[in-house]
C-alpha cells in the first residue's frame, strides 16, 4: 500500500473534482445561456429583424416586426412578400433574393405597407446567413423605419424647390450665395439687369464681376462673413447704406454702377442673411432694384419744378407766392410730383399744362416738352377726352371721371383708362389749377364683362332644364293616376336634367375661377394613359351602345406625369362632343401615339363637322357653332376648359374639321 494522503492533500483533491464538475455543468449550460443572450439581443433591437430560409419563408421575427405587422396573424412558414407586401410573387427589387444569389449584403428602400398604397418607408438590408461549412442557408432582413427621414428629405427638397421657384419667378433681380460665398441662385431678372448669365454665375464666386472691374466683396459676402457694423462702415465708405428696418441683420444701400447698361445704372440693393433652424448663418440673399428711372425722374421733376417756377413767376406772381411762399402749398406740390404711379397731368388756373409725368406721355402719345404751357386739350385727339379736359370744374363736385379706350395688344381687347379730374384750391378755396390722374382699369372692366356674360349665359342655359324639371315634378305632385313606369321615367328625366344643370354650373364656376386669376391647380402623378383612355371610352360605350368606338393605342403601360382628374375631364368633354355631334351607328376613332418626348392623342368623329370659321372659334368661351333651338345642348364652355387644362400641362391642342364630314381633335403632351 502507498503512503496515506494527508488531510490537506485530500482537501485539494476534492476541490479539484468540484472544479471539474462545475466546468462540465457550465459547458452544458453555455449553449442555453448563449441562446437566451441572443434572444434578449434579438428582442431588444428597436428595428425590425426577420430570419428567412432559402425559399423566403419566415423562420423568426423580433417584437418590432410582430408589432408592425400585428394584423397579419401568424408569421411562421409564410412567405415574407405575402406578409410584408401583400403580394403573390417575390418583389422584383427583393434584396434577400439578391443576397442569396450573390452571397453579399444588399440594400433597398421599401414602401410600407404596400407598393401600391405606401404610407411609410423602410430601409431594408439583407445579409446572407451561413452554416458552419460556409453554405448559405437563409438570410437575415434588417428593417429600419425611415419614414420621418424620407419626409424630412422630401420637405427639404420641396423647400429648396419652392425657394428656387420663388427666386427664379421673382421679377426682382436676386442672387443667393452659400456659406462658402458660392452662388447658388441667379435669377432671370438678375441676368437682365447685369448681363451676367446664370450659367456663368452659378457655382462660382464671381458675384463681384457684374458690378466691379476688380474682385472685391459685395454686400452679401459681408453678411456671410458676419461683418460687424464697424467693418461695414469701413468697407462701404463710398456707398450710401444703412441697416434694414424690416429684416434683422440685413443692410440696404444705393449706388451708381457705370458699367451696367450703356450709360450706367443707379441700383438700390438689399442683402439679408439666410438662417438655419439653429440660428446659424448658412448663406445670404441680395436683391436689386434699378432706380435709374427714379433718379432721372427726380432730375426731370427738378427741371419741371424749375420750369414751372419760372413760368408761374412770369405769368402770375400771385400763384407763385400761393404755391411756394407757404409750407402747405410746397407740401402739396411735393405730393403731386411724387405721385407718378399713374398718368399725371397738372394744369394752372387757365387750364394750361404745367406738369406731365412719363406715364401720361406714354398714354397720350405726346411729350411734355411739346405741350408745356399749352391748353390741355391739345394733348389728345380723342373728342370725348378733349371735352373732359376742357370742361369747367363744377363747384358742387370735387371730382370728375371719364373712362376712355386706348389700343391694346390686339384689336379685340383695348385698354380702358379712367381719367379723374380734381381741382386744386388754395387756403381761401380759390381755384388755382387741376390735377388729372389716369389709371388703367382694363382688368376691372374685364371682370364686369365676365360677370355680365356669365349671368346672361347662366340664365339662358339654366332656363330650359329648370322648366322641364318644374313641369315633370308638377305632374308627379298633381296627378294620382300616374303609372309606376311613367313615374320612374319622369324621375329619371328629372335626375338627368339635374345632372345637366350641375355640369353647367360646375363648368361656369371652373371658368370663373380661371378668369378671376385663380388659374388651374395641377396635381401631377404617374398615370397610365392607355388605361385612362380605355376607362373613359368604356363609360361612353355603355351610355351610347349605338356608337362604334375604334381604339388604336400603344401596347403596354404608358405612364405619364399628369393630373388624372383633369385629364379625365378632357377625355369626357372630347368624347362627349364626338358622340353628341354624330349620328347613330357612326364610328368614333381614338388613336394614341407615344415617343420618347411626347404623347399624342387623336379623336376623330364622322359627325356634322364645322366650317373653318367655326373651328377657329371653338375654344372661345360660351361659343356654340349652332345656336338654333334644335342645337345640341351645352353652355359652350367644354372646349375652353379642355384648352386651359392641356396648356396647364404644357401641351397643345388643335381642331381640324370639315362641314358635313366630321371633326378631328388632336392634343399633344410632353413627357
Amino acid at each position: 500500500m502507498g503512503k496515506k494522503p494527508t488531510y490537506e492533500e485530500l482537501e485539494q483533491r476534492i476541490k479539484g473534482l468540484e472544479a471539474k464538475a462545475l466546468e462540465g455543468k457550465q459547458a452544458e449550460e453555455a449553449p442555453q445561456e448563449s441562446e437566451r443572450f441572443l434572444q434578449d439581443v434579438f428582442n431588444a433591437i428597436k428595428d425590425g429583424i426577420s430570419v428567412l430560409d432559402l425559399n423566403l419563408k419566415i423562420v423568426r421575427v423580433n417584437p418590432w416586426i410582430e408589432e408592425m405587422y400585428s394584423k397579419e396573424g401568424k408569421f411562421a412558414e409564410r412567405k415574407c412578400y405575402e406578409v410584408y407586401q401583400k403580394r403573390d410573387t417575390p418583389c422584383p427589387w427583393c434584396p434577400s433574393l439578391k443576397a442569396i444569389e450573390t452571397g453579399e449584403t444588399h440594400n433597398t428602400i421599401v414602401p410600407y405597407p404596400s407598393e401600391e398604397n405606401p404610407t411609410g418607408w423602410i430601409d431594408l438590408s439583407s445579409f446572407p446567413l451561413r452554416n458552419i461549412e460556409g453554405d448559405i442557408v437563409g438570410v437575415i432582413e434588417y428593417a429600419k423605419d425611415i419614414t420621418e427621414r424620407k419626409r424630412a428629405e422630401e420637405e427639404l427638397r420641396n423647400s429648396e424647390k419652392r425657394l428656387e421657384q420663388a427666386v427664379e419667378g421673382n421679377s426682382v433681380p436676386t442672387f443667393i450665395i452659400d456659406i462658402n460665398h458660392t452662388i447658388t441662385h441667379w435669377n432671370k431678372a438678375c441676368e437682365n439687369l447685369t448681363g451676367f448669365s446664370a450659367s456663368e454665375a452659378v457655382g462660382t464666386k464671381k458675384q463681384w464681376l457684374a458690378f466691379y472691374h476688380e474682385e472685391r466683396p459685395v454686400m452679401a459676402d459681408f453678411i456671410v462673413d458676419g461683418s460687424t457694423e464697424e467693418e461695414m462702415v469701413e468697407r462701404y465708405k463710398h456707398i450710401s447704406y444703412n441697416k434694414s428696418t424690416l429684416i434683422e441683420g440685413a443692410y440696404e444701400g444705393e449706388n451708381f454702377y457705370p458699367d451696367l447698361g450703356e450709360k450706367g445704372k443707379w441700383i438700390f440693393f438689399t442683402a439679408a442673411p439666410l438662417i438655419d433652424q439653429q440660428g446659424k448663418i448658412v448663406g445670404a440673399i441680395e436683391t436689386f432694384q434699378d432706380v435709374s428711372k427714379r433718379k432721372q425722374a427726380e432730375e426731370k421733376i427738378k427741371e419741371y419744378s424749375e420750369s414751372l417756377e419760372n413760368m408761374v413767376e412770369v405769368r402770375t406772381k400771385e400763384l407763385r407766392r400761393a404755391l411756394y411762399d407757404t409750407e402747405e402749398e410746397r407740401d402739396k406740390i411735393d405730393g403731386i410730383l411724387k405721385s407718378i404711379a399713374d398718368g399725371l397731368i397738372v394744369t394752372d388756373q387757365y387750364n394750361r399744362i404745367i406738369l406731365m409725368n412719363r406715364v401720361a406721355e406714354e398714354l397720350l402719345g405726346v411729350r411734355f416738352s411739346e405741350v408745356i404751357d399749352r391748353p390741355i386739350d391739345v394733348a389728345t385727339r380723342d373728342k370725348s377726352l378733349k371735352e373732359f379736359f376742357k370742361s369747367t370744374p363744377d363747384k358742387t363736385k370735387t371730382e370728375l371721371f371719364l373712362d376712355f379706350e386706348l389700343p391694346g395688344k390686339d384689336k379685340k381687347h383695348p385698354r380702358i383708362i379712367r381719367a379723374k379730374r380734381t381741382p386744386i384750391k388754395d387756403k381761401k378755396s380759390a381755384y388755382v389749377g387741376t390735377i388729372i390722374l389716369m389709371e388703367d382699369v382694363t382688368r376691372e372692366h374685364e371682370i364686369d364683362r365676365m360677370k355680365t356674360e356669365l349671368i346672361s349665359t347662366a340664365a339662358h342655359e339654366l332656363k330650359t332644364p329648370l322648366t322641364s324639371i318644374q313641369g315633370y315634378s308638377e305632374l308627379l305632385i298633381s296627378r294620382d293616376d300616374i303609372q309606376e313606369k311613367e313615374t320612374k321615367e319622369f324621375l329619371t328625366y328629372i335626375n338627368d336634367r339635374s345632372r345637366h344643370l350641375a355640369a353647367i354650373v360646375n363648368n361656369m364656376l371652373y371658368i370663373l375661377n380661371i378668369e378671376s386669376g385663380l388659374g388651374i391647380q395641377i396635381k401631377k402623378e404617374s398615370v397610365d394613359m392607355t388605361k385612362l383612355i380605355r376607362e373613359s371610352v368604356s363609360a361612353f360605350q355603355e351610355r351610347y351602345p349605338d356608337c362604334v368606338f375604334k381604339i388604336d393605342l400603344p401596347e403596354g403601360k404608358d405612364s405619364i406625369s399628369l393630373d388624372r382628374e383633369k385629364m379625365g375631364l378632357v377625355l369626357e368633354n372630347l368624347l362627349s362632343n364626338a358622340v353628341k355631334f354624330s349620328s347613330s351607328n357612326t364610328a368614333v376613332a381614338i388613336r394614341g401615339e407615344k415617343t420618347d418626348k411626347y404623347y399624342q392623342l387623336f379623336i376623330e368623329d364622322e359627325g356634322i363637322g364645322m366650317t373653318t370659321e367655326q373651328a377657329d372659334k371653338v375654344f372661345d368661351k360660351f361659343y356654340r357653332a349652332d345656336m338654333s333651338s334644335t342645337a345640341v345642348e351645352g353652355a359652350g364652355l367644354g372646349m375652353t376648359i379642355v384648352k386651359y387644362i392641356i396648356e396647364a400641362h404644357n401641351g397643345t391642342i388643335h381642331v381640324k374639321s370639315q362641314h358635313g364630314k366630321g371633326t378631328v381633335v388632336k392634343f399633344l403632351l410632353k413627357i
Side-chain angles (χ1 to χ4, degrees):
M1 292 183 65
K3 184 180 178 181
K4 185 177 180 179
T6 65
Y7 178 83
E8 288 78 13
E9 289 175 340
L10 288 174
E11 185 178 18
Q12 290 297 326
R13 289 180 183 179
I14 292 172
K15 288 182 178 180
L17 291 174
E18 288 177 348
K20 289 182 179 180
L22 180 60
E23 288 176 358
K25 183 177 182 181
Q26 289 176 340
E28 293 176 355
E29 293 177 351
Q32 298 176 1
E33 288 296 325
S34 177
E35 172 66 20
R36 284 195 292 270
F37 174 78
L38 291 176
Q39 184 63 47
D40 291 339
V41 173
F42 197 71
N43 294 340
I45 294 175
K46 298 305 180 181
D47 297 319
I49 301 290
S50 300
V51 180
L52 313 177
D53 65 13
L54 293 177
N55 296 318
L56 301 184
K57 286 185 178 180
I58 300 173
V59 177
R60 191 174 187 177
V61 297
N62 73 341
W64 190 92
I65 292 291
E66 291 177 345
E67 182 179 352
M68 176 69 77
Y69 297 93
S70 59
K71 296 181 180 180
E72 299 300 324
K74 295 182 179 180
F75 292 78
E77 297 301 311
R78 294 179 64 187
K79 305 282 187 170
C80 62
Y81 50 82
E82 295 175 350
V83 176
Y84 301 155
Q85 288 294 319
K86 299 180 177 61
R87 294 174 57 94
D88 297 324
T89 58
C91 305
W93 37 257
C94 179
S96 295
L97 285 176
K98 295 178 181 178
I100 293 171
E101 181 181 348
T102 64
E104 298 176 351
T105 300
H106 286 269
N107 173 267
T108 188
I109 304 300
V110 180
Y112 169 82
S114 68
E115 188 174 4
E116 290 73 23
N117 185 29
T119 59
W121 298 90
I122 292 175
D123 187 352
L124 182 64
S125 297
S126 296
F127 306 88
L129 185 63
R130 301 177 185 272
N131 59 16
I132 297 176
E133 289 76 21
D135 298 327
I136 298 175
V137 296
V139 66
I140 296 177
E141 285 188 347
Y142 178 78
K144 184 175 183 62
D145 190 344
I146 59 169
T147 302
E148 292 303 320
R149 191 189 79 190
K150 291 280 286 185
R151 289 173 180 168
E153 291 172 350
E154 181 67 20
E155 180 60 29
L156 178 59
R157 285 193 295 271
N158 291 337
S159 297
E160 292 174 348
K161 186 175 181 181
R162 288 194 294 269
L163 173 62
E164 182 176 354
Q165 291 174 342
V167 172
E168 187 58 34
N170 196 346
S171 61
V172 177
T174 305
F175 78 83
I176 297 176
I177 61 174
D178 61 19
I179 194 64
N180 298 314
H181 300 270
T182 301
I183 300 172
T184 60
H185 297 79
W186 189 277
N187 71 357
K188 190 70 176 178
C190 206
E191 289 183 343
N192 295 337
L193 174 69
T194 65
F196 194 35
S197 68
S199 60
E200 296 174 293
V202 174
T204 74
K205 299 180 181 181
K206 297 180 179 180
Q207 47 269 33
W208 58 272
L209 190 57
F211 307 98
Y212 304 106
H213 287 296
E214 298 178 353
E215 183 173 357
R216 56 152 293 170
V218 298
M219 183 73 81
D221 292 313
F222 296 146
I223 297 292
V224 168
D225 289 338
S227 300
T228 64
E229 189 170 355
E230 291 74 17
E231 291 173 328
M232 295 289 288
V233 171
E234 178 65 25
R235 294 176 176 181
Y236 268 82
K237 289 180 179 179
H238 64 294
I239 295 179
S240 173
Y241 82 96
N242 55 273
K243 273 189 172 182
S244 173
T245 58
L246 300 177
I247 306 172
E248 184 176 354
Y251 288 85
E252 57 190 28
E254 189 171 281
N255 191 33
F256 181 74
Y257 295 93
D259 295 328
L260 289 180
E262 296 180 359
K263 300 180 180 180
K265 294 181 180 180
W266 279 95
I267 301 297
F268 176 82
F269 54 90
T270 301
L274 298 177
I275 309 295
D276 65 11
Q277 293 181 347
Q278 287 72 41
K280 296 181 180 179
I281 295 177
V282 295
I285 181 171
E286 188 160 349
T287 61
F288 306 97
Q289 181 182 356
D290 184 351
V291 294
S292 301
K293 290 185 177 180
R294 191 197 75 196
K295 286 286 187 178
Q296 294 170 4
E298 289 174 352
E299 290 298 323
K300 282 285 188 182
I301 290 174
K302 185 177 179 181
E303 293 175 8
Y304 294 164
S305 179
E306 293 173 355
S307 175
L308 175 63
E309 185 177 354
N310 292 333
M311 288 186 297
V312 173
E313 185 176 2
V314 171
R315 288 169 176 79
T316 170
K317 292 182 179 180
E318 180 182 353
L319 179 59
R320 184 181 62 186
R321 288 192 299 270
L323 295 176
Y324 292 98
D325 289 351
T326 67
E327 188 64 28
E328 290 183 3
E329 294 303 320
R330 280 198 299 271
D331 290 343
K332 183 184 296 183
I333 291 297
D334 288 340
I336 294 172
L337 297 179
K338 292 177 182 177
S339 300
I340 58 175
D342 298 322
L344 170 69
I345 302 175
V346 181
T347 67
D348 62 16
Q349 66 191 74
Y350 304 107
N351 224 19
R352 293 177 302 201
I353 298 173
I354 59 175
L355 182 64
M356 176 184 289
N357 70 353
R358 187 177 296 276
V359 178
E361 289 180 343
E362 294 174 355
L363 289 174
L364 299 178
V366 298
R367 301 187 64 176
F368 175 55
S369 58
E370 297 172 351
V371 296
I372 188 171
D373 201 32
R374 299 183 63 187
I376 189 172
D377 60 295
V378 303
T380 180
R381 295 181 181 179
D382 186 280
K383 293 182 179 179
S384 61
L385 197 55
K386 278 180 177 288
E387 293 299 321
F388 178 74
F389 284 161
K390 290 166 60 178
S391 60
T392 303
D394 189 342
K395 294 182 180 180
T396 63
K397 296 182 179 180
T398 57
E399 295 179 340
L400 295 176
F401 295 89
L402 175 71
D403 288 355
F404 61 97
E405 294 184 356
L406 290 177
K409 294 181 179 180
D410 56 72
K411 295 181 180 180
K412 294 181 179 180
H413 300 88
R415 296 173 64 190
I416 309 299
I417 308 299
R418 175 165 295 165
K420 179 174 72 173
R421 179 171 179 168
T422 305
I424 303 174
K425 297 181 180 180
D426 62 12
K427 286 184 177 180
K428 299 178 180 179
S429 298
Y431 172 74
V432 294
T434 303
I435 296 176
I436 297 174
L437 288 173
M438 291 176 286
E439 178 186 7
D440 191 336
V441 293
T442 306
R443 181 62 179 168
E444 288 82 349
H445 275 251
E446 177 64 15
I447 291 174
D448 289 339
R449 184 193 64 77
M450 286 169 50
K451 290 179 180 177
T452 302
E453 193 172 52
L454 180 63
I455 292 172
S456 176
T457 303
H460 176 76
E461 289 299 322
L462 300 179
K463 181 178 180 181
T464 300
L466 281 174
T467 301
S468 300
I469 291 173
Q470 183 180 6
Y472 277 96
S473 60
E474 286 179 353
L475 284 174
L476 291 171
I477 294 172
S478 61
R479 289 178 52 186
D480 297 326
D481 59 341
I482 299 177
Q483 301 296 320
E484 181 179 351
K485 181 179 180 181
E486 289 180 314
T487 300
K488 185 175 182 180
E489 180 180 345
F490 290 174
L491 291 174
T492 300
Y493 183 84
I494 290 173
N495 181 64
D496 181 69
R497 294 295 84 192
S498 299
R499 290 176 178 271
H500 178 60
L501 282 175
I504 293 174
V505 172
N506 287 336
N507 282 344
M508 289 182 176
L509 292 175
Y510 206 88
I511 289 294
L512 190 59
N513 284 339
I514 294 171
E515 294 294 335
S516 63
L518 296 177
I520 297 179
Q521 300 297 320
I522 297 297
K523 298 180 180 178
K524 289 188 176 181
E525 61 180 312
S526 181
V527 177
D528 186 344
M529 193 64 177
T530 297
K531 182 179 178 182
L532 181 62
I533 294 170
R534 289 189 180 278
E535 289 175 351
S536 298
V537 173
S538 177
F540 275 82
Q541 285 177 325
E542 293 180 5
R543 288 159 57 186
Y544 301 97
D546 293 334
C547 186
V548 180
F549 292 89
K550 298 179 179 179
I551 304 174
D552 181 12
L553 299 174
E555 296 181 0
K557 187 176 181 181
D558 291 321
S559 294
I560 303 176
S561 180
L562 50 78
D563 190 312
R564 178 189 297 273
E565 179 183 351
K566 293 182 176 61
M567 194 53 59
L569 181 60
V570 168
L571 295 172
E572 169 76 15
N573 275 290
L574 297 182
L575 290 171
S576 176
N577 285 345
V579 172
K580 287 192 298 184
F581 294 98
S582 299
S583 303
S584 299
N585 299 318
T586 58
V588 175
I590 301 96
R591 177 167 56 90
E593 296 177 358
K594 183 183 180 184
T595 69
D596 293 336
K597 296 182 178 180
Y598 64 84
Y599 188 99
Q600 190 169 230
L601 185 69
F602 299 80
I603 298 180
E604 181 177 1
D605 64 61
E606 300 172 352
I608 60 177
M610 294 178 287
T611 64
T612 301
E613 182 180 359
Q614 290 172 332
D616 290 340
K617 298 179 180 179
V618 74
F619 295 113
D620 291 350
K621 296 187 297 294
F622 308 112
Y623 177 75
R624 297 172 62 194
D626 185 359
M627 297 295 289
S628 66
S629 59
T630 59
V632 176
E633 63 184 10
L637 296 174
M639 292 301 287
T640 306
I641 294 173
V642 166
K643 187 172 187 290
Y644 274 122
I645 294 174
I646 294 297
E647 290 180 348
H649 282 81
N650 296 320
T652 58
I653 183 167
H654 301 282
V655 173
K656 185 178 180 181
S657 186
Q658 189 172 355
H659 190 262
K661 294 189 176 181
T663 300
V664 179
V665 179
K666 176 187 73 174
F667 69 78
L668 182 146
L669 300 173
K670 293 181 180 178
I671 298 178

